[in-house]
Amino acid sequence: MSRRSAPAVLPPSLRAWLALTGGLAAPAVLVLGVLYAGDSEPGPVDAWIWAAVHGVRPPWRNVALATDFLGEPAGAAALVVVAVVGCLLLRRPRAAVLVVVGPGTAVVTTTLLKSLVGRTIHGGNLSYPSGHTAFVTALALAVALLAAGRLGLGRTAGTSLVFASALVAGAAMGWAQVALGAHYPTDALGGWCTALAVVPATAWLVDGVADRLDDWLADRTDDRTDNVGQNTRR
């Protein structure tokens, strides 16, 4: 039996819904990747959204640039540090691990997929899926999972919080990427779906590894206590 010393980062009430979401998001990433493999032009949906969003002017361009910065190395590192510090202050070490590993895994996944899919924009820049969108969405998911667990939210409230956070973060960064011409809209969608697929699986792994470590430490403590008791009786 598992003897946890820290709350699970993936609340039990949300596991089924997040597993279903991840199970739907992963194929969506692959399907979009197959559809746009090797392309260097926007698809029909891309062109329609691109015409409405691309080329924003100040002050909205400044907003887009600021949002884009959050996905750049310096901005992303600052966000992760703040999130880790917040998790540690709340005494949630598993969540601290997730806010590092979850977004990191999402970014690595998008980087690998870009090379496999080979979709380009602006003369050879790999674009699918969007790493910026995946990172921000993954971080929002990790923080929302922490909040849901901390507040003790049930399935409905917790699921609503997690998905709303992912939607807002992904939509904001996706808009910025399209507005600045850095990505096609379907690139942003692919990045968003990548985060939805990766973060729940990563959270499950973090809990699994942490549970085993807790059990191992508890067994070591029990063994030491038994040895002390035996030595005392002698």
Side-chain angles (χ1 to χ4, degrees):
M1 180 180 295
S2 176
R3 292 170 284 187
R4 291 177 179 171
S5 61
V9 74
L10 186 61
S13 61
L14 305 184
R15 289 175 185 171
W17 285 106
L18 289 177
L20 176 61
T21 300
L24 295 174
V29 174
L30 296 178
V31 169
L32 287 172
V34 171
L35 287 175
Y36 296 106
D39 283 359
S40 59
E41 298 290 338
V45 175
D46 292 318
W48 179 71
I49 299 177
W50 188 286
V53 176
H54 179 57
V56 292
R57 298 172 180 258
W60 288 109
R61 180 172 175 78
N62 297 331
V63 174
L65 288 170
T67 304
D68 175 73
F69 175 74
L70 298 178
E72 294 294 321
L79 284 178
V80 170
V81 168
V82 170
V84 169
V85 171
C87 292
L88 295 179
L89 289 175
L90 292 173
R91 297 182 181 180
R92 296 292 177 123
R94 296 189 185 192
V97 173
L98 182 62
V99 297
V100 175
V101 178
T105 303
V107 171
V108 170
T109 302
T110 58
T111 301
L112 294 174
L113 287 172
K114 283 180 180 178
S115 297
L116 291 174
V117 174
R119 190 185 197 188
T120 58
I121 190 171
H122 301 317
N125 296 312
L126 295 173
S127 66
Y128 179 89
S130 166
H132 280 59
T133 306
F135 166 77
V136 170
T137 303
L139 185 61
L141 281 169
V143 173
L145 285 173
L146 166 64
R150 179 78 177 177
L151 297 174
L153 300 180
R155 183 177 63 183
T156 301
T159 302
S160 298
L161 174 63
V162 170
F163 287 137
S165 299
L167 182 60
V168 170
M173 183 58 78
W175 166 80
Q177 296 307 297
V178 176
L180 295 173
H183 283 283
Y184 303 117
T186 44
D187 296 336
L189 178 59
W192 186 69
C193 289
T194 299
L196 290 178
V198 166
V199 172
T202 304
W204 178 78
L205 288 174
V206 168
D207 279 334
V209 172
D211 285 345
R212 292 186 180 184
L213 180 60
D214 287 347
D215 290 344
W216 180 78
L217 291 174
D219 290 339
R220 289 290 299 272
T221 300
D222 291 344
D223 290 341
R224 289 177 182 175
T225 301
D226 292 341
N227 290 334
V228 170
Q230 291 175 0
N231 292 333
T232 301
R233 288 194 294 271
R234 290 176 185 173

